[in-house]
């Protein structure tokens, strides 16, 4: 049978081993990220949108899962630079869809807008007919 002191020693040894492994994994990940994958922020180019601080100092590749197709994707630092600084995207926005799903969503919204506009045009035509008939009835 082991004493409490022996158990504590084993527990602490396991904790130190886990911490060392975690620190080594973090070091490997940070060294694997090259400077070419990072793009530095130009704060005067970012549209702050009522925010008083630039939320990041550099753009680095951002891994995410597509909301529609659930495939893992990467939002590259170059695309983030374009989105935030050139296109003027909102400072706190993030990518949620992959490129094919974004295109499908744009098409879906475009078709829905066309259907809605066609319905409004029909409604305006009916209203014009009703107004014209009322005007004729009032003239007579």
């Amino acid at each position: 049978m082991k004493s409490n002191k022996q158990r504590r020693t084993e527990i602490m040894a396991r904790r130190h081993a886990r911490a060392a492994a975690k620190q080594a994994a973090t070091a490997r990940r940070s060294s694997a990220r090259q400077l070419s994958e990072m793009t530095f922020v130009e704060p005067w180019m970012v549209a702050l949108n009522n925010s008083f601080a630039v939320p990041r100092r550099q753009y680095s590749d951002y891994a995410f899962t597509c909301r529609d197709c659930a495939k893992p994707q990467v939002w590259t630092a170059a695309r983030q630079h374009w989105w935030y600084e050139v296109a003027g995207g909102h400072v706190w926005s993030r990518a949620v869809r992959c490129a094919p799903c974004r295109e499908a969503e744009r098409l879906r919204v475009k078709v829905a807008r066309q259907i809605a506009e066609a319905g409004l045009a029909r409604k305006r035509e009916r209203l014009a007919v009703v107004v014209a008939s009322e005007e004729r009835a009032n003239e007579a």
Side-chain angles (χ1 to χ4, degrees), residues 117-133:
E117 287 173 355
L120 286 173
R122 285 193 305 270
K123 193 180 277 188
R124 285 187 194 111
E125 289 173 6
R126 286 192 303 247
L127 182 63
V129 169
V130 169
V131 168
S133 65

Side-chain angles (χ1 to χ4, degrees), residues 7 10 15 25 140:
R7 287 188 193 127
E10 290 176 356
R15 284 183 185 169

Side-chain angles (χ1 to χ4, degrees), residues 98-112:
C98 61
C101 291
R102 277 197 315 269
E103 188 61 36
E105 178 67 12
R106 283 189 206 117
L107 181 63
R108 185 194 67 78
V109 168
K110 181 180 177 181
V111 169

Side-chain angles (χ1 to χ4, degrees), residues 9 20 50 88-89 97 100 126:
T9 305
N50 294 329
R97 288 186 176 93
R126 286 192 303 247

